[in-house]
Amino acid sequence: DVMAKTAQGAGLPEGLSLTEWSAHIEVLGSVRSTLDLMLPQVYEQVSEEMVVATASSTWRASHGVTMSMLERRRWKREASALVRPGLMAADLHESLKRARLEKDLWARLGGRAVPTVPPTIDEAGQACERVRAGLEKLEPVLAGSAVGGELADLSIDELTERLRRLSEAGEDLTDLPRRAEITEELDRLGLTELVGHLRRVGARRGDVAVALETAWLRGVLAAMPSRATAAALPQAPGAQRLGETLTTSTAVGLAQLDPGESYDLVVLVGAHRIGLAEAVLALSRGRQSVLIGDPAGPPPLQLDLGEDAQASGRVSVLTGTAGRLRTLRLDRVHRQPSILAGLTATMGEPESVPVDWCVASADGQELGLVHVPGGTVGAGEEGETIPAQEVEAVVALIAEHVRSLPGESLGILTVGRGMAQRVADALRAALRRSPDLAGWLTNGAPEPFAVTDLAHADHIVRDHVVLALGLARDSHGRFEHRFGTLDTNAGAQLLTLGVGRARRRLSVVSSLWAADLDEAQLQTAGGRRVARLLGAAEQASSSEADAADAREVDPVLTALVAELRGKGAQVRVPGDPQVEPDLAVTAGERRIGVLWDGDPRHGYRSELGEALTRFGWSLRRVRAEQVAADPARAAADVLR
C-alpha cells in the first residue's frame, strides 16, 4: 500500500519489480535533495544556458562553449532566483545539472508533470530495504535451484507466487528455532567451521566426537611453540585481491587447516583475542592475510581458560603485527546511538572508533543507572563480592523488560563469573512463578537471552544490555575500592567491552553511587573507568523533561507542537540538533522525528536524516510555510 501511495503521490507508474521500485525511490530521493535547496520551478525553467552560465571557465573551455559576460550575468540571475530564499547553493552549476538529469529520468520513468516528492517516501524506502534485505538472504540459497535466485528482477506477481510456494513447504521449519539456537551456540564456541567441514565430507554421527577431539588437539599443538614460532610470522601484505580460495579463521577454527595446504587469502576474525602462537599456522598457509580486530579490545584468553585468563599478558596477533601490515580503520560507529557511542568512545583507548553521525535512538532511555540501596557482601565461589540485592534487582529488570520491551533482545553481563551464576540460579527460581517469563526466554528469538560475565561477552550484542557491577560495601558500610576482575591488566578493556555490547540501551546496576568512590583510592584503570561509568549513568538518568519544556521554541514550531499534543501525541523538544530531530513525537508505538526548514542549525541536512532513519526513527520533513498556513494539516501529515 505504501508503495502504491508513493507512486500515486509522485505521479509515477508503479514499479513492476523490486529493481524498478528501487530506481523510483532513488530518483525521488535525489529530487528531494534538489527541492530542499531549490524551488519546484527549477524543473520547468532550468536550461542549457543556465548550466553554461554558472559553470567555471575551465568547464566551458573543455566543453567548447562560449558565452558573453552580459549573457552569463543574466542567466546567473535567473538561476539564482530558483534557489530557496535564505539558502545558498554551494555549487549552483552542479545543482542545475542534477535538476536537468532528474527531469530527464522523471520523463523516462513515465512521471506526470514536474517532479514532486510525496510524504510517504521515507516509509517506501524503508519498505524497499526490508524486502531487499530479505531477498538478499534468500538469493544465495536459491541460486542453485532450477529457476535461479535473481529475485529482485522478478515481477511483483512472479515474486509473490514464488514466495508463496516456498512458504507452503514449511514443514522443514518446525525445528528451525532450535537449530538456530544450536547454531549460535556453536558459533560462540568457534565450532562453525568444524561443523561445515563435517557436512562437506559427509561425516557420520559417530565420527563427530573423534573429529572434535582431533581439532582440539591440533589447536593445542599449534599453540605450544608460542614464542619460538612468533619470529617466523610472515610479513604478509594487506589483502589486495580475492583469490580462488578463502578461509576464515577463529581461535578454535585455526586448528582445522590441513598441513601443507595453502590458500590465496586467510582472514582472522577477532584477531585481538587470538594469540600469536595460535595464528602462526593459519598465517603461514596464506599468500595474503587479513586481520580483523579491535585494537582497544581485551587481550587473548589464557590457554588454560582459567579464572585469571585476562591477566596473562599474552600478545595478540593484532598487536604483534602492528606496523608490519597495512592498516585500515573504521571511520565511524554504525551500531550504537549517540549517548552509548559517546560513552564507549570516552571509556575506550585512543584507538576507539570516532562516533561521527551517531544519533539518538527513537525510543530514548539509552543509558540509565539502577541504584540498589543496601548492597551487602556475600562470598562467591571465586571469592568475588556478590550483593544479593543486586541479583534480585537484575531478575526484576529481566521481568520488566519482558513486560515492556518483548520485541527487543536482552543480555545480562556481570563483572565476575560467580555473580553471573547467581543471576542464572535466581532466574531459574523465578521461572517457576512466571510462565510468561519462561515462554519469552524460550521463544527461539534470533538473538536469544544470555547471562555471562565480561570475560566471555565478546559476541554478546543485544538491543538491551544490563551490566551488573557487583560491587558491595563491607559489614561496616565501607567500600574497599577493590574491583575484582576489573583490577587486572585487561579490566579496563573488559568494562569498555561491556558498554559496547548494547545496541539500543544500557542499564547499569550498582549498589554504589559515583560519589562513593574516592578518586585517591582508585589505583587501577578498571576502577577509574567504573567511576566514569557511574557518573555518566547517573547524569543520563536524571530527568531532562523540565529542561526540554523550558527550551525556547520558534513560534511557528510551537503551533505545530500544540496541534500534535491536541491530537494525543507526546512531543519532546530535543536539545542537540546534531544528533536529534527538531521534534521527537511519540504516537502509540511509533517514534517520529520531525525535521523542518526553520532551524538554521541543520534544516534539511540529508546526512542527519539518513542517520535518524538508520537508528529507528520514522522521519517527517515539514516546511515553515506549511505550518504557518495550516498547523492542523501539518500535524496530520506528521501523524499519518
Side-chain angles (χ1 to χ4, degrees):
D1 290 344
V2 69
M3 304 302 292
K5 289 179 181 178
T6 301
Q8 183 178 4
L12 290 171
E14 295 188 17
L16 299 180
S17 65
L18 178 63
T19 300
E20 289 190 12
W21 275 119
S22 298
H24 284 33
I25 297 300
E26 184 176 357
V27 172
L28 286 171
S30 180
V31 169
R32 180 168 64 182
S33 298
T34 296
L35 292 179
D36 287 345
L37 174 67
M38 311 194 78
L39 297 171
Q41 293 89 324
V42 66
Y43 293 112
E44 297 175 335
Q45 300 178 16
V46 63
S47 65
E48 178 67 22
E49 290 80 1
M50 290 183 184
V51 174
V52 172
T54 55
S56 65
S57 58
T58 303
W59 185 92
R60 291 195 300 273
S62 64
H63 286 74
V65 294
T66 59
M67 181 178 287
S68 68
M69 182 179 298
L70 291 178
E71 284 184 298
R72 289 205 307 273
R73 287 180 179 176
R74 179 168 67 86
W75 287 112
K76 278 185 178 179
R77 280 197 304 271
E78 294 193 21
S80 299
L82 296 176
V83 178
R84 290 186 177 276
L87 298 181
M88 179 178 295
D91 191 335
L92 185 55
H93 171 71
E94 289 298 328
S95 298
L96 293 172
K97 284 177 56 180
R98 185 173 66 180
R100 290 187 64 198
L101 176 60
E102 291 163 356
K103 182 179 179 180
D104 293 341
L105 290 174
W106 193 266
R108 291 183 204 171
L109 293 176
R112 301 191 305 270
V114 297
T116 184
V117 180
T120 54
I121 178 177
D122 288 313
E123 293 180 67
Q126 293 172 22
C128 259
E129 285 305 312
R130 286 195 298 269
V131 174
R132 182 175 297 280
L135 295 185
E136 286 177 350
K137 293 179 181 179
L138 275 176
E139 285 184 343
V141 179
L142 301 177
S145 63
V147 291
E150 300 294 333
L151 303 180
D153 295 328
L154 292 177
S155 70
I156 299 299
D157 292 340
E158 291 176 322
L159 177 61
T160 303
E161 175 61 22
R162 188 167 185 192
L163 294 178
R164 184 191 64 77
R165 293 198 305 268
L166 288 173
S167 66
E168 290 177 350
E171 296 180 359
D172 295 338
L173 302 179
T174 54
D175 62 343
L176 186 59
R178 177 57 179 163
R179 287 163 54 192
E181 181 181 348
I182 295 174
T183 299
E184 179 162 342
E185 179 66 12
L186 290 171
D187 185 56
R188 187 183 69 79
L189 296 173
L191 297 175
T192 303
E193 293 184 17
L194 176 60
V195 173
H197 172 73
L198 295 176
R199 183 183 292 116
R200 287 192 299 272
V201 300
R204 295 171 298 181
R205 180 175 300 181
D207 299 332
V208 173
V210 175
L212 180 61
E213 183 177 5
T214 302
W216 181 83
L217 288 171
R218 284 184 177 178
V220 172
L221 292 174
M224 288 178 63
S226 189
R227 300 187 184 278
T229 58
L233 187 67
Q235 301 263 345
Q240 303 294 325
R241 62 179 178 82
L242 183 63
E244 298 175 357
T245 309
L246 170 66
T247 178
T248 303
S249 298
T250 63
V252 176
L254 297 177
Q256 299 169 17
L257 299 178
D258 294 329
E261 186 173 357
S262 62
Y263 300 87
D264 292 321
L265 177 64
V266 172
V267 180
L268 266 64
V269 180
H272 62 287
R273 297 287 263 172
I274 302 175
L276 276 170
E278 300 96 292
V280 168
L281 174 62
L283 294 180
S284 64
R285 295 288 180 264
R287 299 184 182 92
Q288 299 183 42
S289 303
V290 174
L291 313 183
I292 302 176
D294 182 2
L301 290 168
Q302 183 78 309
L303 290 179
D304 61 9
L305 299 181
E307 181 61 24
D308 197 29
Q310 305 301 326
S312 64
R314 297 175 63 228
V315 177
S316 72
V317 63
L318 192 68
T319 302
T321 57
R324 303 184 183 186
L325 305 181
R326 185 167 63 91
T327 301
L328 299 175
R329 288 174 46 81
L330 294 177
D331 58 1
R332 64 185 63 189
V333 173
H334 296 276
R335 186 180 74 220
Q336 290 190 303
S338 55
I339 293 179
L340 293 182
L343 177 62
T344 303
T346 57
M347 291 189 64
E349 304 296 337
E351 297 88 353
S352 298
V353 178
V355 297
D356 298 356
W357 282 115
C358 286
V359 300
S361 68
D363 19 20
Q365 303 174 342
E366 292 97 342
L367 174 63
L369 175 67
V370 179
H371 181 259
V372 182
T376 58
V377 176
E381 294 181 2
E382 293 82 8
E384 66 188 80
T385 58
I386 305 177
Q389 294 89 339
E390 279 197 27
V391 174
E392 297 171 1
V394 171
V395 175
L397 280 175
I398 296 172
E400 176 61 26
H401 176 96
V402 173
R403 284 192 298 270
S404 59
L405 300 167
E408 292 188 5
S409 58
L410 175 65
I412 310 298
L413 303 183
T414 64
V415 171
R417 298 188 69 177
M419 186 165 181
Q421 185 61 53
R422 286 281 295 275
V423 170
D425 293 342
L427 183 58
R428 275 191 286 269
L431 294 179
R432 304 189 190 101
R433 305 186 298 269
S434 178
D436 292 342
L437 182 59
W440 185 86
L441 293 176
T442 57
N443 63 2
E447 292 183 339
F449 171 80
V451 181
T452 189
D453 60 308
L454 293 177
H456 300 83
D458 260 26
H459 305 295
I460 304 297
V461 176
R462 297 294 185 266
D463 295 328
H464 182 195
V465 168
V466 174
L467 176 56
L469 297 181
L471 305 175
R473 296 178 176 85
D474 60 18
S475 57
H476 302 289
R478 295 188 300 266
F479 178 60
E480 298 295 335
H481 288 75
R482 290 197 293 265
F483 299 91
T485 301
L486 301 183
D487 282 333
T488 64
N489 293 337
Q493 293 99 315
L494 287 176
L495 188 60
T496 303
L497 171 74
V499 173
R501 300 300 88 191
R503 185 185 292 115
R504 293 187 180 178
R505 66 191 84 250
L506 173 68
S507 299
V508 180
V509 180
S510 173
S511 58
L512 300 176
W513 298 100
D516 295 328
L517 303 181
D518 184 355
E519 185 175 354
Q521 297 188 57
L522 300 176
Q523 302 299 317
T524 64
R528 291 188 288 272
R529 289 194 187 178
V530 169
R532 196 182 309 168
L533 174 61
L534 287 176
E538 289 175 26
Q539 182 178 1
S541 295
S542 61
S543 174
E544 62 172 26
D546 295 337
D549 290 338
R551 293 187 185 111
E552 183 178 352
V553 184
D554 185 280
V556 176
L557 199 59
T558 300
L560 178 59
V561 171
E563 289 290 342
L564 289 169
R565 288 175 175 167
K567 294 179 182 296
Q570 299 177 11
V571 184
R572 181 172 60 90
V573 183
D576 189 348
Q578 298 300 319
V579 299
E580 296 183 289
D582 296 301
L583 293 180
V585 182
T586 302
E589 297 296 323
R590 294 184 299 155
R591 301 295 184 269
I592 303 170
V594 175
L595 288 180
W596 78 310
D597 61 351
D599 190 333
R601 291 174 295 183
H602 61 62
Y604 275 3
R605 192 163 59 192
S606 59
E607 293 92 340
L608 177 60
E610 293 170 0
L612 288 169
T613 302
R614 188 171 69 246
F615 279 86
W617 293 89
S618 294
L619 210 58
R620 301 289 186 271
R621 299 174 185 268
V622 299
R623 302 188 189 279
E625 58 263 30
Q626 293 175 333
V627 178
D630 193 344
R633 182 174 180 179
D637 287 342
V638 170
L639 297 176
R640 68 181 182 276

